[in-house]
Amino acid sequence: MNWTQVFLVLCLPAISVYSDTTVTIYPQWLAQGRSVRYDGVRWNNHNGLDQEALIPRCRSIRTDGARWILRDLNDRLFQDWPEDPNRSGYPDPNYLKNATKQQELFSAYLANINSDRENGMFMMLSATYFPTWINQSEHNGRFPNNVDAAAEFMLLLVEGIYDYTKGRIPPYFEPVNEPDAKYKIFNFTTVSILHKLVAEKLHARFHINVAGPTVSGYSGLTDRNDFSFWTQVSQFMDATLEYLDVFSFHSYNSLIVSDKSHRLAGMNEARLVAFVDLVENYAHLKKGKIIPIVISEYGRDIVIGIDKFAPSPIVDFATIYHSNAHRFTQLSLREYIDRSVVFLLANEKYPGHDSLNWSLFTLQGKATNIVDVYYFWYNFTSEYSFIRTTSEYDGEERTVSPLAMGSSLSNETVVLLHSYSQKTQKVKLVFQNGWIKPTTGEATCITIKDNWYPVITFNEPFDIGKTQRIVDLPPEATCRFTFKTPSDQQPKVTLNETTYYGSDTVIPIKSDVVSTVISLPKGQYNSARLRVSTSWPINVTNNVSYITFNLHPLHSFYKLYDSDKLDSPTYWQVWEFVVATSTFVTGANQVQIHFSNIMTTGYVSSVALVTGKLL
């Protein structure tokens, strides 16, 4: 009998792990605006002056009170100010020269800035509380008819602070907080005149940044009623751009609760980016350059369905979540946003108000759940630099926002992910061209657990070598994934991003195509992405179908997450397309936005080309 040797080959199917989206991390440091490095003074600070006993507690988590709120109202400062005996209708210039008065009014501020840290303080006024001796008949008894006299109060206030602190005045000054909510007191023409006069007076004496208009509703609701709120803001910019140092506004999101379900809605992320681009596009048209932006309040505001002041784990979670979500967006817009101050307080208690829902600590110094915001960001200092990332251009609304940072001193590469989804997201991490090949690492996450409690977990081990480079991002989580990376494997080059804007803003959509022009200087460009913001009523069904850039069609895009799509009468959406730099020409570049349907309503609010150059 002859035996025949037979070899059997067992073919097993390759195991494939499904991913919801992909984030690409490049071997490039990412510079936007002033610096490539993380700067805690720009991003870590919170609202209010801290109670002196809580200052060390706040600094232990790397945050400072950085917004001096309502100094004109508190202690009836402006209301009790006497009239100048030598100048009828103006405040007495000697009132704040009294040392005892200065100590009473300004000592808390001095305690807050007495450190070796950079002073990043904002000073904000209500501008609606003045003495009875000044005529306020034209403004419902709440603001002087003589706007120059109102500005004089503010100049004398800063002079008093300057004298008491020996020159350490707040570097940012906001003459009036949220004037859009005070429309029964003054219109935006008056608001514009006030900012102009305050800027002229303060700049004549001090090195100080005057900021405005410090709007809140007008920012998130800008596109309502055919951009009627924007008309007010743009007219303010027309009158003040030559005088103001920075443009300031507020940005909030909300919590909506129904039985055992919840939703997180509001301005971030799409409306926030759309508003920033609209402001910068308009400033670019008026001045030929962008204007620095400060967001002097942001985070969680409205709560619907439950009491926002009562103790509640879901309110705590929403407060933490929105603080982190907004910071992710701000850190991706560093070219335009100079700094921001989250609406959290060291402690918010005062007579008649016992809530701790925006508080970091109790009055006794015990940490609340809200400190998780700062525990999450604690490791990031100026030794960390930003690394370029991109989301997947899959033609969908993204539900994961990425960032990345690295430190050559700590030998770390950190991928940060924020989820807008109420489902677990499987995120594939692609390190371009295998510039590093990490497998194991440690994850720190803030998530929502049973009974809606916020939970932070630190340094949990994971291994993407076993999951085909996929990490699990829990529902509505903010996570950082840390990989040890030797310093010689960190990026060797820096990509510097600069934005160029279209030749129009708030362009009406009258057909299925909208056109604009972007002017580019001569230069070598290494990357580009085109950001287009569109707005139309929610009863209109349409999409951006594709874009042509100098007649070259662009099809690869994703949309920023629109958290307000269920609660707003309009869709204000942001579409980001990848652009080949080979299509660029020096000078005028023709951009056409093509829609899937012919329209007779809606607008393209701005068009921004973000270009990158390797340094």
Side-chain angles (χ1 to χ4, degrees):
M1 179 182 292
N2 294 321
W3 294 87
T4 303
Q5 192 171 17
V6 177
F7 294 92
L8 297 176
V9 178
L10 183 62
C11 295
L12 295 175
I15 297 174
S16 177
V17 181
Y18 169 81
S19 66
D20 295 292
T21 191
T22 298
V23 170
T24 303
I25 305 99
Y26 294 80
Q28 300 166 355
W29 301 116
L30 179 63
Q32 294 178 330
R34 299 184 307 175
S35 175
V36 71
R37 294 187 178 275
Y38 184 87
D39 184 347
V41 175
R42 293 174 66 183
W43 312 114
N44 285 9
N45 291 338
H46 60 273
N47 259 257
L49 293 184
D50 298 340
Q51 297 91 333
E52 286 196 43
L54 294 180
I55 292 173
R57 298 290 288 129
C58 289
R59 289 181 179 165
S60 73
I61 56 173
R62 292 184 173 155
T63 181
D64 281 301
R67 196 156 182 257
W68 194 357
I69 297 173
L70 302 176
R71 178 63 279 176
D72 56 333
L73 167 62
N74 295 333
D75 301 313
R76 295 179 53 88
L77 173 57
F78 279 12
Q79 290 167 287
D80 291 344
W81 200 307
E83 187 176 13
D84 185 350
N86 301 312
R87 192 183 185 194
S88 178
Y90 280 80
D92 185 346
N94 296 311
Y95 183 57
L96 287 188
K97 293 182 178 179
N98 179 284
T100 302
K101 192 71 175 176
Q102 290 178 349
Q103 171 73 15
E104 172 191 336
L105 296 172
F106 307 142
S107 59
Y109 163 70
L110 190 59
N112 271 255
I113 66 168
N114 262 344
S115 73
D116 57 358
R117 296 165 178 256
E118 178 185 337
N119 181 5
M121 187 70 68
F122 287 75
M123 184 173 208
M124 169 271 280
L125 304 184
S126 169
T128 54
Y129 296 89
F130 289 87
T132 56
W133 53 257
I134 196 165
N135 190 345
Q136 302 171 68
S137 59
E138 296 174 6
H139 300 107
N140 205 24
R142 298 289 298 278
F143 184 79
N145 296 354
N146 181 353
V147 184
D148 185 71
E152 193 73 12
F153 277 89
M154 300 179 190
L155 170 64
L156 295 175
L157 171 59
V158 177
E159 286 183 347
I161 299 167
Y162 184 92
D163 291 342
Y164 177 73
T165 63
K166 296 180 172 54
R168 300 173 67 185
I169 59 175
Y172 293 87
F173 188 88
E174 295 174 304
V176 52
N177 188 57
E178 298 186 350
D180 46 335
K182 300 170 180 175
Y183 59 91
K184 293 183 179 180
I185 300 174
F186 35 48
N187 59 31
F188 254 64
T189 299
T190 301
V191 172
S192 301
I193 294 170
L194 174 65
H195 280 78
K196 175 180 177 293
L197 292 173
V198 170
E200 288 179 325
K201 290 175 183 288
L202 291 182
H203 288 154
R205 287 227 39 205
F206 308 109
H207 178 67
I208 191 170
N209 296 290
V210 180
T214 322
V215 290
S216 182
Y218 279 13
S219 52
L221 309 177
T222 292
D223 68 326
R224 298 264 182 106
N225 303 316
D226 295 315
F227 284 83
S228 60
F229 292 150
W230 171 247
T231 301
Q232 301 287 316
V233 175
S234 62
Q235 289 174 354
F236 172 89
M237 293 176 70
D238 290 343
T240 62
L241 272 177
E242 295 302 320
Y243 303 92
L244 293 189
D245 302 283
V246 292
F247 183 98
S248 67
F249 72 95
H250 297 165
S251 176
Y252 280 107
N253 277 55
S254 58
L255 166 67
I256 302 168
V257 177
S258 178
D259 294 327
K260 290 297 182 181
S261 65
H262 72 276
R263 287 192 295 109
L264 300 165
M267 191 171 181
N268 189 60
E269 92 180 310
R271 285 179 173 269
L272 175 52
V273 176
F275 183 72
V276 167
D277 271 341
L278 179 54
V279 168
E280 296 295 16
N281 201 156
Y282 194 79
H284 183 80
L285 294 177
K286 292 293 179 177
K287 296 186 66 174
K289 61 181 181 180
I290 63 174
I291 182 172
I293 287 175
V294 295
I295 303 177
S296 54
E297 288 183 22
Y298 72 90
R300 190 269 304 161
D301 185 13
I302 296 171
V303 175
I304 298 173
I306 59 174
D307 185 350
K308 74 175 180 179
F309 296 115
S312 167
I314 187 60
V315 173
D316 283 356
F317 174 75
T319 304
I320 296 166
Y321 176 93
H322 289 318
S323 299
N324 284 327
H326 279 254
R327 197 188 299 202
F328 264 70
T329 306
Q330 294 163 12
L331 292 176
S332 70
L333 301 174
R334 302 187 317 280
E335 181 184 352
Y336 333 103
I337 299 177
D338 178 76
R339 62 191 60 220
S340 61
V341 187
V342 66
F343 192 81
L344 300 175
L345 303 162
N347 181 277
E348 67 195 272
K349 283 196 172 187
Y350 56 85
H353 181 88
D354 288 329
S355 177
L356 290 172
N357 287 356
W358 279 296
S359 298
L360 297 169
F361 300 98
T362 67
L363 286 173
Q364 293 72 38
K366 181 181 178 181
T368 69
N369 288 332
I370 310 305
V371 298
D372 287 355
V373 173
Y374 289 99
Y375 291 157
F376 181 84
W377 296 96
Y378 182 85
N379 287 359
F380 298 111
T381 64
S382 59
E383 74 176 54
Y384 283 82
S385 295
F386 290 92
I387 297 173
R388 180 189 174 200
T389 64
T390 57
S391 295
E392 184 176 358
Y393 289 91
D394 57 2
E396 302 291 337
E397 179 183 62
R398 76 176 184 182
T399 56
V400 175
S401 175
L403 292 168
M405 285 188 264
S407 167
S408 299
L409 292 177
S410 299
N411 291 326
E412 289 181 349
T413 298
V414 187
V415 178
L416 301 95
L417 303 176
H418 178 82
S419 175
Y420 293 104
S421 175
Q422 292 191 333
K423 298 179 180 179
T424 296
Q425 299 292 290
K426 292 187 176 295
V427 184
K428 188 167 190 174
L429 304 181
V430 175
F431 294 88
Q432 190 205 35
N433 297 330
W435 64 279
I436 55 175
K437 297 179 174 64
T439 53
T440 59
E442 293 181 337
T444 293
C445 289
I446 299 177
T447 59
I448 185 170
K449 293 295 187 182
D450 297 338
N451 298 319
W452 285 345
Y453 275 89
V455 174
I456 186 167
T457 56
F458 293 97
N459 304 326
E460 293 194 339
F462 65 89
D463 187 348
I464 59 173
K466 297 178 179 178
T467 59
Q468 298 185 20
R469 303 192 308 279
I470 290 174
V471 295
D472 281 347
L473 185 62
E476 295 176 324
T478 309
C479 294
R480 64 174 195 253
F481 299 90
T482 302
F483 302 94
K484 283 299 179 182
T485 310
S487 59
D488 61 357
Q489 294 181 27
Q490 297 277 2
K492 302 295 191 299
V493 297
T494 298
L495 186 79
N496 185 63
E497 289 191 337
T498 303
T499 303
Y500 299 94
Y501 284 98
S503 56
D504 304 279
T505 59
V506 192
I507 310 168
I509 303 172
K510 297 299 184 183
S511 63
D512 61 350
V513 180
V514 165
S515 300
T516 190
V517 173
I518 297 176
S519 294
L520 287 176
K522 184 177 181 180
Q524 179 68 42
Y525 301 93
N526 301 102
S527 71
R529 47 197 173 92
L530 189 73
R531 208 163 49 225
V532 177
S533 300
T534 62
S535 172
W536 49 70
I538 58 172
N539 60 358
V540 172
T541 301
N542 212 342
N543 282 292
V544 174
S545 179
Y546 66 98
I547 287 176
T548 58
F549 193 96
N550 291 330
L551 302 181
H552 296 272
L554 310 178
H555 293 284
S556 297
F557 75 91
Y558 64 83
K559 291 194 298 182
L560 298 188
Y561 185 74
D562 179 9
S563 64
D564 220 30
K565 53 181 171 285
L566 299 178
D567 303 283
S568 173
T570 58
Y571 295 123
W572 200 5
Q573 300 172 302
V574 180
W575 316 69
E576 187 161 303
F577 286 77
V578 64
V579 186
T581 59
S582 58
T583 63
F584 288 6
V585 298
T586 301
N589 291 261
Q590 304 295 323
V591 179
Q592 290 186 315
I593 300 103
H594 298 258
F595 300 96
S596 57
N597 297 311
I598 294 175
M599 295 179 65
T600 58
T601 186
Y603 299 86
V604 173
S605 57
S606 64
V607 178
L609 180 67
V610 184
T611 65
K613 293 183 179 182
L614 290 174
L615 302 180

